Amino acid sequence: MGFYKSLSLVALATVGVSQAVTETRSLDQIHQAALKEGGVVTLWHGGSDPHQQDALKNAFEERFPGMTLNVSVRSSSFIGPDIDRQLAAKSVTVDSIFLQTLQDYPRWKRQGVLLNYKPAGFEQVYDEFKDPDGAWASSTINAWSIIYNKDKLIGIEPPATFSDFLKPEFKNKLIFTSPIDDDAVLNTFDLIINAYGVDFFWSLLEQNPRFAPHHLSIANEIGQPNTTYAATFGTTIGLFSQDPLVVHFPTEGAPFTSWAQGAAILKDAPHPEGAKLLHSYVLSQEYQNQTGSWSIRRDVAAPKGFSSIFSTPNTNPLDFAHWMYDRENVERFRFWVQDKIGYPA
Ligand SMILES: *[C@@H]1O[C@H](CO)[C@@H](O)[C@H](O)[C@H]1NC(C)=O
Ligand SMILES: *[C@@H]1O[C@H](CO)[C@@H](O)[C@H](O)[C@H]1NC(C)=O
Ligand SMILES: *[C@@H]1O[C@H](CO)[C@@H](O)[C@H](O)[C@H]1NC(C)=O
């Protein structure tokens, strides 16, 4: 007992939790420091479409003239291991990481590789969406909705809950991101099977759905007038419909997946001032107020027609992180699903 106790004290002393830096400068002051440093910040962002973060890049570069947001978007599951390689080689080229793989953040914090930084506005971020030492905070709330093409469902009652996807009229009309390619999609299948039982899954397979690779835009496929695909769940085009695509968050039946995307700065970031500017901007009221999604800040209301993510029915934005922390369970379930549906095509 005493041995282990002193061992853990030694471990704590070695890695330690370095004192957090709390930002006191204005965005314009950080902007000046970031320009002096070189005017670049390199962000690796989780996602499927290389252009998925163009809106963030444009907003940042417009707000801070002279700055370049060097952003690349790839699957969070692929980014994490590449970051580990950079850390192991002690050659960190990335400043900032915004990922869906929430299990990586506590691990990196324990390893002492994240900058303990509390951006301007940190105190307004819900406690549930940040690390108390500032090792990470969340950038945005993401949620998967039901999406359908209303032009392809003329005379058909659109799906309102996940169980509606089993109706015979949706046979051959369903397409999903393969759950084996994306943990957040896998989570949706887990939530549904927990709510309805495994028979739901067998019945869904009888609908002859396509399970497509992660990089394919499912909404785009459904939007094409020349495909038979008309409806999906486990993806997003935001909170609002974009004709002919209709966005619907089920208010009953199995819950839908929502989560707060992780955001951290690497301690050895080559552009620490650029990274601080990015994080202070992303957490700011002015940015959070124009994302079109739920905010991670208490003092920024949800978009018109929506309530705060915590009072949104049929989802819990904290469940996903806990589910992701239990890797054994996630991997077991992934292999179970993979065995039944094969590789995405
Ligand atoms: C932009 O990021 C890539 C890695 O994603 C890196 O190789 C490149 O050097 C960065 N560019 C600048 C100007 O820092
Ligand atoms: C549907 O149309 C798009 C855009 O014109 C085209 O790229 C795609 O190959 C077509 N798909 C099918 C299944 O015909
Ligand atoms: C968001 O911005 C709008 C328009 O600038 C403003 O009226 C509103 O008060 C802001 N809301 C919050 C919560 O910051």
Side-chain angles (χ1 to χ4, degrees):
M1 165 83 185
F3 173 74
Y4 288 110
K5 200 169 179 185
S6 53
L7 195 70
S8 65
L9 279 177
V10 171
L12 262 182
T14 319
V15 176
V17 175
S18 58
Q19 196 67 34
V21 174
T22 299
E23 189 57 77
T24 55
R25 296 171 294 175
S26 69
L27 285 175
D28 292 333
Q29 287 169 324
I30 314 172
H31 180 197
Q32 292 313 311
L35 286 174
K36 279 205 197 89
E37 183 189 67
V40 176
V41 48
T42 296
L43 165 66
W44 282 6
H45 200 299
S48 50
D49 174 352
H51 294 290
Q52 210 166 312
Q53 294 304 323
D54 284 1
L56 172 60
K57 179 178 168 67
N58 295 339
F60 180 77
E61 292 179 356
E62 193 173 308
R63 174 68 175 78
F64 303 108
M67 291 300 300
T68 299
L69 181 58
N70 180 25
V71 56
S72 42
V73 178
R74 286 192 303 142
S75 164
S76 294
S77 302
F78 297 161
I79 291 177
D82 274 346
I83 294 291
D84 288 330
R85 295 273 162 202
Q86 293 201 354
L87 292 166
K90 298 200 185 328
S91 71
V92 171
T93 66
V94 178
D95 300 302
S96 170
I97 34 181
F98 287 23
L99 306 178
Q100 179 198 90
T101 43
L102 301 178
Q103 76 278 8
D104 284 333
Y105 292 89
R107 177 174 65 86
W108 282 326
K109 183 188 179 189
R110 280 195 304 276
Q111 292 172 358
V113 299
L114 302 177
L115 185 71
N116 291 326
Y117 173 67
K118 299 183 178 176
F122 185 81
E123 70 290 343
Q124 283 294 341
V125 177
Y126 289 104
D127 290 347
E128 294 89 337
F129 295 154
K130 66 189 177 194
D131 172 63
D133 299 309
W136 74 85
S138 303
S139 53
T140 42
I141 306 292
N142 296 327
W144 293 150
S145 63
I146 290 173
I147 301 175
Y148 59 87
N149 183 335
K150 67 178 175 46
D151 293 348
K152 291 180 176 177
L153 296 185
I154 310 276
I156 296 177
E157 184 78 24
T161 67
F162 296 117
S163 53
D164 288 343
F165 283 77
L166 301 184
K167 291 180 177 172
E169 51 267 38
F170 293 115
K171 185 151 189 167
N172 300 323
K173 290 195 175 69
L174 304 179
I175 181 170
F176 304 102
T177 300
S178 173
I180 70 167
D181 261 15
D182 187 320
D183 284 349
V185 180
L186 189 69
N187 175 261
T188 295
F189 279 84
D190 194 45
L191 293 174
I192 294 174
I193 289 175
N194 286 340
Y196 298 138
V198 76
D199 283 350
F200 175 95
F201 187 73
W202 306 131
S203 303
L204 189 70
L205 295 189
E206 280 169 21
Q207 298 286 62
N208 192 31
R210 176 177 171 198
F211 290 104
H214 182 249
H215 60 78
L216 192 90
S217 166
I218 301 297
N220 192 49
E221 285 296 304
I222 292 174
Q224 300 288 339
N226 60 352
T227 74
T228 58
Y229 303 121
T232 190
F233 56 74
T235 190
T236 177
I237 56 167
L239 271 55
F240 298 100
S241 300
Q242 297 170 29
D243 197 46
L245 300 180
V246 177
V247 170
H248 173 73
F249 293 96
T251 54
E252 54 180 31
F256 64 91
T257 300
S258 63
W259 74 95
Q261 186 92 349
I265 300 174
L266 289 162
K267 202 165 75 183
D268 293 336
H271 311 105
E273 296 301 335
K276 288 174 183 172
L277 181 63
L278 175 66
H279 285 242
S280 290
Y281 175 60
V282 163
L283 258 55
S284 71
Q285 221 169 359
E286 70 176 86
Y287 178 75
Q288 287 293 321
N289 193 7
Q290 50 101 64
T291 62
S293 188
W294 293 277
S295 177
I296 47 93
R297 288 178 66 117
R298 291 186 197 96
D299 60 351
V300 175
K304 218 173 158 58
F306 290 83
S307 50
S308 124
I309 189 66
F310 288 112
S311 43
T312 299
N314 218 24
T315 193
N316 181 337
L318 306 179
D319 282 352
F320 182 65
H322 295 293
W323 186 80
M324 289 289 269
Y325 292 162
D326 187 353
R327 294 316 298 168
E328 281 188 33
N329 175 59
V330 173
E331 297 307 330
R332 265 199 309 271
F333 184 54
R334 182 201 316 287
F335 282 116
W336 184 87
V337 172
Q338 182 178 331
D339 178 45
K340 311 302 177 270
I341 68 172
Y343 285 102

